Amino acid sequence: MGGVSRGEAGTGREAGAGSGAGAGGTSRHGTAGDRDPGLQPERTRLAWRRTTLAGTVAAVLAVRAALHGGPSPASIVACSVCCALWVAFLLVAQRRILALARTARPAPLPARQATAAVLCAVALAVCAAALVV
């Protein structure tokens, strides 16, 4: 059969193709430094934009619900807190979006920024729920 062993016939695989070795003898999984990010930074950047848009919608709906029956001092304070949280989340997200756009291999999200994003999102959700109820 022209040098092709029985187990390889019709599979299109070369000898050793399933062994985890790629070109040059390196593992196909490689290390983190060898990783090709491909479109992952772009997908992450788009996810940050979608999350920011969702936060914007939540903040706008919370403000609308709070001011629907007429402004009261409590609703104005709650609206102010929602807007401040939204702006804080927007700043964290924009910083990350710019970091992802600058380089093909962005650094991991620092724990401080991740914590800030989570706290802003949770606090915004709590404020929005409080305004709706």
Side-chain angles (χ1 to χ4, degrees):
M1 282 187 120
V4 177
S5 70
R6 185 172 202 203
E8 297 167 357
T11 63
R13 284 197 257 169
E14 300 174 17
S19 65
T26 60
S27 170
R28 66 180 164 174
H29 298 293
T31 63
D34 296 340
R35 185 177 147 284
D36 177 21
L39 295 176
Q40 186 268 331
E42 182 179 356
R43 287 192 307 266
T44 304
R45 192 170 62 245
L46 291 172
W48 275 102
R49 290 192 188 274
R50 284 191 307 268
T51 305
T52 303
L53 179 62
T56 303
V57 170
V60 167
L61 290 176
V63 169
R64 181 176 177 255
L67 300 178
H68 180 66
S72 68
S75 65
I76 291 174
V77 169
C79 289
S80 300
V81 170
C82 276
C83 290
L85 289 168
W86 173 74
V87 168
F89 183 81
L90 188 65
L91 291 174
V92 171
Q94 187 63 27
R95 175 180 254 179
R96 187 61 183 164
I97 289 168
L98 292 175
L100 290 168
R102 268 188 222 119
T103 164
R105 291 184 183 212
L109 182 65
R112 185 175 177 188
Q113 286 182 0
T115 303
V118 168
L119 290 176
C120 286
V122 169
L124 181 61
V126 168
C127 284
L131 284 173
V132 171
V133 173

